[in-house]
Amino acid sequence: MPQITGTTKLLGVIGNPIGHSLSPIIHNAAIEQLGLDYRYLAFPVSSADLATVLDGFAAIGLVGCSVTIPHKQTIIPLLAEITPLAKAIGAVNTIWNTPEGWKGTNTDVAGFISPLVAMGRDWSKTTVAILGNGGAARAVVAGCHQLGCGAIDVFGRDAAKLAKFKSSWQDIKLPMNGNETPMPVTIQTHLWDELSTLINQDNLLLVNSTPIGMYPQIEDSPISAATIERIGANSLAYDLIYTPRPTRFLQLAKNAGMMTIDGTEMLVQQGAVAFELWLQQPAPIEIMRQTLIQYLSS
Ligand code: NAP
């Protein structure tokens, strides 16, 4: 790592609590690899202090920042501008300092679709089943729309929250399938009980965006082995969780012959997009990935 000097610049992540964040691991590995005169730190910021912190960061010339729970939504009114994607998702996870004020975007969508884009498939015949209707599910919906998936089904356990989730997409248009013209985002929502009957098909992209199965509840799976076994082996299981690796859900999917993707790649890729925004140069993705995987397995 280059020595900290009088010219060293600052990046960081704000959230509360923040001690668990893996972003400093990933970003400082990238900074070190490129020999940049930067450091990336985690800052615990309470909701009451958010506006003061942003003013202070701007005053000391902090270049950019990741934003995590509980600030992803509440930061929006404090920003000078947000991207249409962040507006559609209703959450910002990356901000950068400009002469006009802080600007923000959401890099979770790019992070989520990155391993899917890398597969080079035509997604128009794929149905997506998204388990959960929280914050991450919004990025998954936007990502699947962007990929041009045939149908997007969202499963939740609370009818009122599901209805709110569905109506929140009603007037939203986003680019689709490489075409820059924004298209309406169309989704269907279903109660969790309908899961076993509705996901009984081939060519499915099954995404877990709930915390079910996350450490320390590592024996839990959002869907049963029997249900997973009824899904065609051509299907793909994607868990946003990155601890443990693999989750019980991905183990069951793998046993059923499905391809699996865990949450580490999304985490790395959303960080890489933010890094490139702040530093205007390609992120050393392989170092970021290896450092994260090594850290998670230590
Ligand atoms: P969130 O906003 O709290 O949403 C969680 C969703 O899961 C909600 O819809 C919740 O339903 C549902 N849920 C929770 N427990 C459930 C249960 N026992 N049965 C059925 N549904 C349940 O959380 P989030 O921010 O979306 O994050 C979700 C997961 O994605 C977390 O594990 C997080 O670590 C992971 N994630 C990973 C990345 C990455 O880069 N890999 C990025 C973002 C998130 P209710 O609303 O009804 O409670």
Side-chain angles (χ1 to χ4, degrees):
M1 230 11 176
Q3 207 174 9
I4 294 179
T5 67
T7 60
T8 303
K9 294 187 204 58
L10 204 52
L11 296 164
V13 54
I14 53 173
N16 194 22
I18 198 63
H20 65 285
S21 174
L22 297 171
S23 294
I25 308 280
I26 300 171
H27 285 291
N28 285 312
I31 287 166
E32 182 172 10
Q33 172 73 11
L34 298 178
L36 302 175
D37 190 15
Y38 277 81
R39 287 296 190 280
Y40 183 107
L41 294 180
F43 299 100
V45 174
S46 72
S47 298
D49 288 337
L50 184 58
T52 313
V53 166
L54 286 183
D55 286 347
F57 278 175
I60 61 163
L62 186 129
V63 175
C65 208
S66 310
V67 180
T68 189
I69 293 165
H71 305 314
K72 285 183 172 193
Q73 287 89 25
T74 49
I75 200 167
I76 292 174
L78 304 173
L79 304 178
E81 194 180 311
I82 66 170
T83 58
L85 188 59
K87 202 170 177 191
I89 295 168
V92 159
N93 76 340
T94 304
I95 60 170
W96 62 100
N97 198 353
T98 78
E100 297 85 47
W102 290 100
K103 295 191 178 173
T105 191
N106 192 304
T107 66
D108 277 340
V109 179
F112 169 73
I113 64 173
S114 172
L116 301 173
V117 170
M119 291 169 73
R121 271 172 46 170
D122 169 13
W123 295 95
S124 64
K125 301 206 169 43
T126 301
T127 295
V128 190
I130 302 169
L131 311 179
N133 50 264
R138 300 194 68 80
V140 175
V141 165
C144 291
H145 169 84
Q146 213 163 300
L147 285 176
C149 291
I152 302 176
D153 292 318
V154 178
F155 294 84
R157 59 180 171 178
D158 181 316
K161 283 185 185 171
L162 268 179
K164 202 170 161 203
F165 188 90
K166 186 171 183 186
S167 69
S168 73
W169 290 99
Q170 225 155 32
D171 298 321
I172 291 180
K173 291 182 178 175
L174 289 173
M176 184 180 195
N177 230 349
N179 187 338
E180 280 311 304
T181 313
M183 302 287 286
V185 178
T186 308
I187 64 165
Q188 297 301 324
T189 50
H190 312 274
L191 276 172
W192 204 264
D193 308 344
E194 298 172 57
L195 200 57
S196 56
T197 46
L198 277 174
I199 65 171
N200 197 1
Q201 55 183 293
D202 214 0
N203 200 356
L204 187 76
L205 170 59
L206 179 58
V207 184
N208 178 30
S209 80
T210 76
I212 304 171
M214 188 163 74
Y215 180 84
Q217 264 79 44
I218 60 171
E219 293 305 324
D220 294 351
S221 166
I223 58 177
S224 68
T227 304
I228 290 183
E229 273 158 21
R230 290 212 308 279
I231 302 169
N234 284 337
S235 296
L236 184 65
Y238 192 149
D239 202 334
L240 302 197
I241 294 172
Y242 41 81
T243 40
R245 300 181 68 226
T247 55
R248 179 95 183 114
F249 166 57
L250 291 190
Q251 279 170 20
L252 293 174
K254 199 169 178 198
N255 293 348
M258 293 167 69
M259 270 187 69
T260 60
I261 301 175
D262 68 31
T264 48
E265 195 60 14
M266 174 172 173
L267 187 63
V268 168
Q269 296 285 351
Q270 62 78 27
V273 176
F275 187 93
E276 290 177 1
L277 251 168
W278 298 323
L279 297 169
Q280 298 293 306
Q281 60 182 298
I285 291 174
E286 189 51 29
I287 281 290
M288 296 166 92
R289 181 185 294 124
Q290 288 314 324
T291 306
L292 175 67
I293 290 172
Q294 204 176 337
Y295 182 83
L296 288 174
S297 52
S298 65

